[in-house]
């Protein structure tokens, strides 16, 4: 059994909409399979040591909090790229997702540098995109699964041509309310606007991330984790998906 090492970036700054709940889900689901999750905070003064974490996590925040960490995060870009090139996985939610791109221009025109791990750019618009979202993803070839969550962002994220979205919007706004794309994926790095938090109602995605992190930890290929009953989780997903569908139409 393994210890999965999670580096939680700026937990005191980027933590809205219970995004910390994602860590709790990863910890429980790892423990149910006999693995430990060792979570360390990576704060402003901390250095990234490539190879030192199997999974990085960064949550959402308001423009104000993003502004406080953006320069510091951009200064960590090199070791983060090295860590990801070495096979570490990453999950970034909303404000954190925006900062994984090339940059984010906030609502008041603040220019925030990004890490450049995902091929995208974000500019805040005047209308906030708020509500339940349902998307369809294909992270493993030929396996389509849905992800349900809640979005609340002014940022409009545009993916570079050819970039891979996390999924296609079935209901809700997604990246920009126009493209029909939600989130972005590059190898083991996932960025998404979905809060709620994301993982309690989308347990398959938690397991996908754990499998990638375990593969980094053990040096092998990701293997599917032993299934769990997930009755409550499935119900939570259905309620959330139903709320998104009742918004009507596609983005
Ligand atoms: N400040 C960003 C926006 O409004 C992100 C908000 C969030 O993390 N919910 O687009």
């Amino acid at each position: 059994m393994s210890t999965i090492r999670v580096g939680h970036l700026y937990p005191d700054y980027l933590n809205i909409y219970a995004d910390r709940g994602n860590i709790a889900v990863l910890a429980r689901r790892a423990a149910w399979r006999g693995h430990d999750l060792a979570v360390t905070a990576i704060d402003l003064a901390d250095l990234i040591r490539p190879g030192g974490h199997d999974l990085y996590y960064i949550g959402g925040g308001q423009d104000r909090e993003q502004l406080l960490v953006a320069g510091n995060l951009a200064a960590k870009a090199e070791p983060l790229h090295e860590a990801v090139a070495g096979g570490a996985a990453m999950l970034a939610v909303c404000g954190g997702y925006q900062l994984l791109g090339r940059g984010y221009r906030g609502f008041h025109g603040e220019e925030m540098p990004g890490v450049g791990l995902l091929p995208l750019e974000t500019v805040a618009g005047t209308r906030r995109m708020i509500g339940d979202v349902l998307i369809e993803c294909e992270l493993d070839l030929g396996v389509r699964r849905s992800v349900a969550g809640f979005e609340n962002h002014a940022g409009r994220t545009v993916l570079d041509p050819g970039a891979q979205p996390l999924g296609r919007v079935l209901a809700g706004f997604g990246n920009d309310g126009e493209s029909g794309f939600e989130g972005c994926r590059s190898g083991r790095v996932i960025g998404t606007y979905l809060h709620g938090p994301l993982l309690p109602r989308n347990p398959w995605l938690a397991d996908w991330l754990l499998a990638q992190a375990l593969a980094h930890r053990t040096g092998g290929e990701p293997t599917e984790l032993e299934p769990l009953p997930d009755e409550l989780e499935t119900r939570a997903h259905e309620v959330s998906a139903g709320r998104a569908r009742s918004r009507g139409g596609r983005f």
Side-chain angles (χ1 to χ4, degrees):
M1 296 297 132
S2 304
T3 297
I4 302 168
R5 302 156 307 167
V6 176
H8 188 173
L9 284 146
Y10 313 113
D12 296 335
Y13 292 91
L14 299 178
N15 55 16
I16 51 174
Y17 305 123
D19 282 342
R20 270 175 204 273
N22 291 324
I23 300 270
V25 169
L26 291 169
R28 276 315 296 165
R29 297 186 75 80
W32 280 327
R33 273 70 167 248
H35 302 297
D36 274 338
L37 205 75
V39 184
T40 48
I42 303 173
D43 284 310
L44 294 169
D46 298 323
L47 298 175
I48 305 270
R49 203 168 39 82
H53 293 102
D54 307 302
L55 173 69
Y56 292 93
Y57 176 65
I58 179 162
Q62 312 281 7
D63 285 15
R64 198 173 61 88
E65 281 77 33
Q66 286 175 279
L67 202 53
L68 294 172
V69 303
N72 187 274
L73 181 62
K76 292 176 165 60
E78 208 181 300
L80 270 175
H81 277 261
E82 203 184 312
V84 165
M90 191 154 183
L91 173 64
V93 176
C94 202
Y97 165 45
Q98 294 169 338
L99 296 180
L100 285 203
R102 280 190 297 277
Y104 172 47
R105 188 192 305 148
F107 187 73
H108 300 288
E110 316 90 320
E111 295 288 353
M112 300 177 222
V115 179
L117 274 171
L118 292 175
L120 53 90
E121 268 173 18
T122 306
V123 175
T126 44
R127 176 174 164 223
R128 289 198 78 77
M129 297 186 268
I130 307 174
D132 294 280
V133 198
L134 183 64
I135 66 172
E136 185 179 60
C137 307
E138 190 178 312
L139 290 188
D140 297 316
L141 207 63
V143 187
R144 284 202 189 155
R145 290 177 168 129
S146 65
V147 171
F150 179 82
E151 63 185 328
N152 183 353
H153 53 109
R156 279 149 176 70
T157 296
V158 177
L159 305 184
D160 288 356
Q164 190 184 351
L166 171 62
R168 294 199 161 267
V169 176
L170 300 176
F173 293 101
N175 279 341
D176 57 358
E178 285 173 12
S179 61
F181 294 144
E182 204 298 310
C184 187
R185 185 238 174 139
S186 170
R188 291 179 177 165
V189 179
I190 298 245
T192 177
Y193 272 112
L194 272 51
H195 294 278
L198 170 72
L199 297 180
R201 59 186 89 174
N202 300 291
W204 73 265
L205 185 56
D207 285 354
W208 187 89
L209 288 162
L210 286 174
Q212 311 304 308
L214 275 166
H216 177 261
R217 184 68 171 136
T218 57
E221 288 299 307
T223 50
E224 225 165 280
L225 299 177
E226 186 194 318
L228 294 169
D230 286 338
E231 283 152 26
L232 275 175
E233 292 81 350
T234 304
R235 272 165 55 198
H237 181 277
E238 279 163 9
V239 168
S240 186
R243 278 201 306 249
R245 282 196 202 95
S246 70
R247 287 172 84 168
R250 293 166 83 88
F251 51 99

